Amino acid sequence: MSAEPDGPEDRLRRFATIWSRAVFPVTSTSLTRPEFEELLLPLARRLRLALLARAFDADEGRAVGAALVGAHCTDPEALSRALDCVEAYLVLYCGEDGPQEELRLRSSRLQHAMAAGFAQALRERTLAEQEAIAQAALQAQGVVAQALHTSEARFRAVFEGAAIGIGIADLDGNVLQVNGALQRMFGGGEGAFRARNVKDWTHAEDAPQVWKLYDELVRGEREHYHVEKAFYRPDGTVLWTNLTVSLLRDADGRPQYQLALMEDTTERRLLNLRLRYEATHDALTGLPNRTLFFERLEKVLAAGEGQRFGLCYLDLDGFKTINDSLGHAAGDRLLVEVADRLQSCATAPGEMVARLGGDEFVALTTGPNARHEVDELAARIMNALLAPVRIEGRELTVRGSIGIVEGAAGERSAAEVLRSADITMYRAKSAGGNRFELADPEADARAITRHGLTTALPAALERGEFFIEYQPLVHLGDGSVRGAEALVRWLHPQHGVLGPDRFIPLAEDTGLIVPLGRWVLEQSVRQARAWRERHGDGPLRINVNLSPCQLTHPGLVQDTVDILERAGVEPQVLCLEVTESALIGADDDLLKPLRRLAEMGVDIALDDFGTGYSNLANLRRLPVSVLKLDRSFTQSMQQFPADPVDLKIVEGIVSLAHSLDLAVTVEGVETGAQAEQLRILGCDTAQGWYYARPGPPERLHQLALVDATG
Ligand code: C2E
Ligand code: MG
Ligand code: MG
């Protein structure tokens, strides 16, 4: 018995179960479903090993594809379902804790190999079947020589009844007879074949050896050959076949006729092309995907001396906000529009645009002048993004950050080039976005990569590398400290203290945000209790930020209740901050847990208010009790006198908030003048460097004591 309920073996088994459920209904196996699952289990294990292996081995994927054919999963639908299943579940159940991005890439290459192995095995099986028919025909033919009567009838039956196309021609190529199946494949009655010569059936895509094999056969130098060959039908369309041609000899062994057996593979070929297309293109935008881009980049980098490449790695600025606030459908439309614009920027030969995932795109240019051309390409892209995108009646401004890498073939691997581009893009983003930067090897070496941080995150939580700083929330009326916001930091062993902007998005992507958020909540609530014990005078409240993923996590309410109870802290002491963009467009299901928390007495604050695309009328249906005005409002009050329009806006928001019974907190107060202005405008509490920067919990306690006594 395994003590661990969810070990790799269990997950592998679950993957095999899902796989067998998906594929079993479309197989023609005589096995039961559980037996079929047993058969898939070793294949699943093979995929898992190939997924995690140090070096990629396409043979493994091909072997699994071939094994599917062996298991009677010969229907193209069975392959399609198997690939869907690998796409959706392989990394999930078998990916361990490996780097997701690489695993995904590996998984799609495996799918590719599976499709190829499947097609190959299917083809070999068909050839074997054809061979058997040819044998039967030859046998029948042999019998013709001995007992014409019965054999003639048998041969007729084989000839006419066969599902496969059969034709007989003499050694000069004159067609003598074709069966019904062959006529149907060509779609033009027997007349289409009469007086035709085999040698007329050339096709532009004929492999060079096709006609060499033919000549050898009619000269009697070979008994048969198999090829894949295309034909033009009388109506001009193309018929693809698996063609087997055999030499028929007379009773004395002299070559006499040629017998062609052909199977129509047009559909299967189309399916293969479609599978290849789907495996290499992004379903949303139709652009080449990461797999195809990698193939292309690898090819360019493997090209000989003198070849140069230039690559632009684009990430949209603030796409997440648009997605969160306007919904995924609008986000998708935006991506499609961006994809179209990018494509129009890279139309020259040797140029290519691909979508790597999410809001990340790449544009590649090649050729001896790539160094110069890539700069122009980046400028064209920035330019193409300038015009706003109209979606649902709104004009959305799209901006992007681009990392440019340029170089000669043969110096670096594709993965290294992409890593450098990613780091450079990130540098452009950190410098404020809406710009492009050129890769710099020194900066690359120093860079803290997203990938590196992402893989280090889980262990960091276990090793206790996170800590919390607290920033006081001050009452604007009397200047007293009312509480504090908990802001998490990561003391990274190599890179020192990292701010939440560096790692919260990564934790959100990987799901680690749930345990991390729970840890922050637990620590903060305990801290609130410690403050209360030392500072009797009215409890200090604690604000804790919640990520959108935490909102949808089913354990949110229960976890919060447990944490409060364990610490012996009243719900009223806690305020959960949720960003505006996470709540706008939220349906009732999403709001339910927040509503339950609000009913218990937990405050809910709308964080960064004013940055999303929300409308104020929406506020009424949200279970919030506090508005936190975004820093940008405070910033606009920095100059003196402040812009009267800005003042009016803030005043309006404050009065609307108060009329809805919401308290207003302002963020980013850096000067006394700002504080005074905001007090006059009616804001209730404030937070900012003017009062204190985020700091250790003891500091807050001292501050609170000062104003309690002073
Ligand atoms: P936020 O919730 O809007 O937090 C306020 C941010 O403004 C903090 O940045 C704070 O250090 C900064 N700030 C405070 N006063 C001033 C000022 O006077 N001037 C300026 N220029 N900035 C000021 P920080 O700590 O980098 O946090 C960034 C964001 O990370 C937070 O924005 C919050 O959304 C997120 N975050 C922080 N801790 C957590 C957490 O535990 N969980 C989650 N989910 N998100 C967190
Ligand atoms: Mg906050
Ligand atoms: Mg904020």
Side-chain angles (χ1 to χ4, degrees), residues 151-382:
S151 66
E152 181 69 41
R154 194 180 309 159
F155 183 72
R156 278 270 135 225
V158 171
F159 189 76
E160 274 314 326
I164 226 158
I166 307 178
I168 298 178
D170 65 21
L171 296 181
D172 294 326
N174 301 307
V175 178
L176 304 174
Q177 231 174 350
V178 292
N179 75 345
L182 193 64
Q183 290 169 35
R184 283 191 294 279
M185 277 158 62
F186 275 81
E190 206 167 0
F193 296 90
R194 198 156 289 142
R196 288 287 304 260
N197 193 291
V198 173
K199 283 180 280 187
D200 298 339
W201 273 297
T202 55
H203 187 275
E205 289 193 52
D206 283 343
Q209 79 271 19
V210 167
W211 293 104
K212 190 172 150 274
L213 291 169
Y214 175 85
D215 290 338
E216 287 171 13
L217 184 114
V218 294
R219 285 201 300 265
E221 293 162 19
R222 67 164 52 241
E223 296 308 306
H224 44 244
Y225 65 88
H226 297 304
V227 285
E228 202 178 358
K229 176 165 164 42
F231 294 90
Y232 292 111
R233 294 198 183 95
D235 67 0
T237 57
V238 174
L239 165 74
W240 273 95
T241 64
N242 271 336
L243 172 69
T244 307
V245 183
S246 305
L247 183 65
L248 301 185
R249 297 175 184 270
D250 64 14
D252 302 326
R254 278 189 300 265
Q256 190 177 23
Y257 299 117
Q258 48 175 320
L259 169 76
L261 301 174
M262 49 180 100
E263 183 214 11
D264 183 347
T265 57
T266 316
E267 288 282 314
R268 198 188 311 149
R269 208 181 149 83
L270 283 177
L271 173 79
N272 271 330
L273 288 177
R274 204 193 77 210
L275 284 174
R276 157 87 190 159
Y277 185 87
E278 279 174 6
T280 53
H281 286 78
D282 169 42
L284 175 67
T285 61
L287 288 182
N289 66 9
R290 175 180 279 273
T291 308
L292 185 56
F293 175 74
F294 248 84
E295 278 176 16
R296 185 69 177 275
L297 183 61
E298 273 167 358
K299 210 178 271 171
V300 170
L301 294 176
E305 244 174 72
Q307 174 72 288
R308 294 193 76 84
F309 72 93
L311 185 152
C312 297
Y313 191 117
L314 168 76
D315 185 293
L316 299 183
D317 297 339
F319 176 71
K320 196 167 153 32
T321 311
I322 293 178
N323 224 5
D324 288 346
S325 55
L326 296 183
H328 287 264
D332 283 356
R333 302 247 299 277
L334 182 79
L335 290 173
V336 170
E337 173 68 24
V338 168
D340 286 349
R341 293 189 188 185
L342 291 181
Q343 194 135 47
S344 68
C345 294
T347 50
E351 290 184 338
M352 166 192 207
V353 171
R355 177 175 177 217
L356 294 188
D359 60 342
E360 296 181 6
F361 297 87
V362 278
L364 180 68
T365 173
T366 54
N369 292 324
R371 176 185 300 234
H372 171 68
E373 277 158 11
V374 73
D375 282 343
E376 289 191 344
L377 181 59
R380 279 205 299 282
I381 292 175
M382 296 304 279

Side-chain angles (χ1 to χ4, degrees), residues 551-627:
L551 280 183
T552 51
H553 191 266
L556 175 66
V557 176
Q558 195 56 48
D559 284 352
T560 311
V561 171
D562 290 350
I563 287 171
L564 287 168
E565 273 179 7
R566 264 204 303 275
V569 167
E570 308 292 305
Q572 286 73 15
V573 170
L574 178 65
C575 174
L576 293 174
E577 298 191 1
V578 187
T579 57
E580 181 194 8
S581 53
L583 286 195
I584 301 311
D587 56 17
D588 275 344
D589 277 348
L590 188 74
L591 295 177
K592 212 175 276 165
L594 281 187
R595 219 163 250 140
R596 282 199 47 206
L597 289 167
E599 282 158 12
M600 281 162 39
V602 173
D603 270 319
I604 310 291
L606 208 50
D607 203 355
D608 301 343
F609 184 80
T611 52
Y613 293 87
S614 63
N615 81 49
L616 293 167
N618 234 327
L619 283 176
R620 192 193 293 274
R621 49 180 281 275
L622 303 178
V624 294
S625 44
V626 182
L627 274 197

Side-chain angles (χ1 to χ4, degrees), residues 485 545 577 607 628 667:
E485 176 173 8
N545 292 286
E577 298 191 1
D607 203 355
K628 284 191 86 170
E667 295 183 286

